[in-house]
Amino acid sequence: MKIDFKHNPGAHCESGVTVNMLRFYGVAISEPLALGIGAGLFFSYMPFIHLHGMPVFSFRSLPGHIFSRVMKHLGIKVNKRRFLNRGASMQALDKLLEKGIPVGVVVGVFYLTYFPKEYRFHFNAHNLCVIGKEDDVYTVSDPVSLTLNELSAADLLRVRFAKGTYPPMGKMYWVKHPPAVTPNLKKAILNGIKHNCKRMLDIPIPYFGVKGIYLLAKHLRRWEQRLGERKAALCLAQVVRMLEEIGTGGAGFRYMYAAFLQEAAAILNNPAYLRFSDDMTSIGDLWRDFACEAARRFKNRNDQLCTYEQLSEKLTQIADREKNLFSRIRQHIS
Amino acid sequence: MKIEEVPQDDGYLKDTNLRDIYYALDNDGKYRQVASTGWTPKTEALNLTWELISEEAETIRQDVLAGRKSPLAYHMAMRLFTVGILASYSGISRKIIKKHMQPKGFERIDGATLAKYAVAMNMSIEELKKLDG
């Protein structure tokens, strides 16, 4: 059986699943709106955590936050579950499917069969929505895919219990009660923006928000001396990959957030957000520019035209711009 | 970024049904979704990452040939399995895995344990014993 579920591709797995699931329950919001309401734009640089021997960079909030926050702000009750027992995790999934409920699951991509080999790292926070089962084959709606995909029960079980950093442990989530009243979008949007300003500006430790970008700029300047040419190039490649990794909508969610601000301007009937959107677009362009230069650096190691020094300058400039923009947005709201 | 500036550089997604979805501006300055087949700087970043992984695996391969490490160590490097990841996939303790990454330890692995490694890394026991692949 297969649930009548409209699959729409999205830029990002989590916001994509959230939006597709909401549409199934009759709440039509766009993916950028989900990102904005979920306060999903972020930056973090954690030099003390290592993945494959490299520090961790991220342009988004923690996995699971967008979904939870969007549902909370729209007043929709959800359920979440993790499992210790593999068999139980599949039984619980089947039970929900039989009731006609689409189920979001968190998976690791290393054994995700329809991903190209080059994308399969031990990354354990990918989201997809299971929408049907026929014999032993599950139909899944993965937002980063243009069409639906199929996974055998064994393959699905394996990715749901992927191991490594942050194992998903069969995590699944679904809508408990569909919304009774039409959600108040305006309030949700303003809340989301406020929360995002706070996350970008106010976290008092130096690894997160704009402070994190400044810290990365400061460290990156000396990467080559401190880590050696090879490791420095690898770290730089890692930043570019996280910035443009499948699922950011371009420039580490900056373009998607600009799209959100544009939509917010229309819904709130406030043209000020159009200016903020333009600003966010040009910040996105700066990130893309940074990625281009960084790629030049790690590809041609003797390129004197862009040095770590200059890349660091660029990042500082981006941090200044983001700090300025979020401060202005906050001023405008309060 | 404008819609016509969205890169279509044919990266690794080209032959799959996956796409990078961008948000880009149309002629009226309105944001739209655009599917992309890839962007060169990103593909290069991915390539560099894999290049260094294979270089590391090659060093280990040489170590195996010289009798300093076991094929298990090589297969782990190729598949980005750290001792920790393999331990949690296979249920075998880190200490024992480290022992099996040495040639002497590897010779003494029993069939059941070999099978556990093979399942964890999705390969056959024969492949696990050999160096190629």
Side-chain angles (χ1 to χ4, degrees), chain A residues 35-52:
Chain A
L35 178 80
I37 293 172
L41 188 86
F42 198 44
F43 181 84
S44 62
Y45 161 53
M46 289 175 273
F48 47 87
I49 302 183
H50 285 246
L51 247 178
H52 296 309

Side-chain angles (χ1 to χ4, degrees), chain A residues 29-331:
Chain A
I29 65 167
S30 69
E31 191 189 8
L33 219 47
L35 178 80
I37 293 172
L41 188 86
F42 198 44
F43 181 84
S44 62
Y45 161 53
M46 289 175 273
F48 47 87
I49 302 183
H50 285 246
L51 247 178
H52 296 309
M54 275 171 290
V56 171
F57 314 96
S58 177
F59 291 84
R60 56 181 260 189
S61 52
L62 276 176
H65 272 203
I66 296 179
F67 179 79
S68 307
R69 292 189 50 84
V70 169
M71 295 304 186
K72 192 178 137 206
H73 280 303
L74 297 180
I76 297 168
K77 289 259 175 296
V78 293
N79 260 343
K80 281 179 214 167
R81 237 184 119 181
R82 282 175 186 253
F83 296 87
L84 287 173
N85 183 308
R86 292 159 159 260
S89 81
M90 295 308 261
Q91 274 167 17
L93 172 66
D94 290 351
K95 239 185 198 160
L96 287 166
L97 287 176
E98 270 161 34
K99 287 190 208 157
I101 300 171
V103 186
V105 293
V106 180
V107 300
V109 299
F110 187 75
Y111 281 128
L112 200 55
T113 45
Y114 55 85
F115 260 46
K117 185 172 107 266
E118 291 78 5
Y119 275 75
R120 297 215 213 149
F121 292 89
H122 293 281
F123 169 73
N124 288 335
H126 187 60
N127 287 266
L128 48 87
C129 192
V130 186
I131 61 161
K133 186 188 183 188
E134 206 67 67
D135 298 326
D136 241 6
V137 179
Y138 288 86
T139 308
V140 303
S141 154
D142 187 329
V144 304
S145 170
L146 296 174
T147 52
L148 293 172
N149 286 292
E150 288 186 337
L151 281 177
S152 72
D155 286 341
L156 181 59
L157 183 65
R158 179 148 58 185
V159 292
R160 288 184 73 192
F161 285 88
K163 307 290 187 202
T165 315
Y166 303 125
M169 295 172 75
K171 187 177 174 186
M172 61 185 214
Y173 50 92
W174 66 98
V175 172
K176 201 165 147 198
H177 298 301
V181 286
T182 330
N184 183 346
L185 269 188
K186 282 187 190 175
K187 204 176 144 215
I189 288 174
L190 285 173
N191 269 329
I193 295 177
K194 273 186 209 160
H195 190 73
N196 219 138
C197 289
K198 211 165 145 186
R199 286 175 58 80
M200 285 303 286
L201 299 171
D202 291 348
I203 299 178
I205 34 180
Y207 311 110
F208 307 111
V210 290
K211 293 192 190 92
I213 311 181
Y214 282 121
L215 185 70
L216 176 59
K218 192 177 143 196
H219 284 183
L220 184 141
R221 190 183 295 269
R222 293 180 54 229
W223 268 358
E224 207 162 23
Q225 289 110 294
R226 283 186 53 221
L227 307 172
E229 196 185 284
R230 243 170 88 94
K231 188 85 191 289
L234 194 61
C235 283
L236 209 50
Q238 181 79 352
V239 179
V240 174
R241 271 184 45 224
M242 289 304 124
L243 184 69
E244 292 300 328
E245 198 47 285
I246 185 161
T248 74
F253 297 98
R254 268 57 187 170
Y255 289 141
M256 213 204 298
Y257 204 79
F260 159 67
L261 290 170
Q262 191 175 67
E263 235 184 299
I267 296 172
L268 300 171
N269 197 9
N270 184 343
Y273 288 98
L274 286 179
R275 285 200 306 279
F276 297 146
S277 171
D278 287 346
D279 237 28
M280 188 50 91
T281 304
S282 60
I283 289 171
D285 293 340
L286 286 176
W287 275 111
R288 297 279 289 182
D289 190 40
F290 168 81
C292 265
E293 299 284 305
R296 236 170 92 184
R297 178 73 232 169
F298 64 67
K299 232 195 126 196
N300 181 0
R301 286 157 203 184
N302 300 318
D303 198 332
Q304 288 309 311
L305 291 171
C306 64
T307 58
Y308 281 86
E309 192 85 8
Q310 280 159 324
L311 287 170
S312 160
E313 288 297 318
K314 271 194 194 301
L315 271 184
T316 311
Q317 196 196 345
I318 292 172
D320 287 342
R321 290 281 300 271
E322 291 201 356
K323 191 175 175 185
N324 176 282
L325 176 61
F326 278 104
S327 306
R328 276 188 300 136
I329 295 179
R330 175 140 74 181
Q331 225 168 25

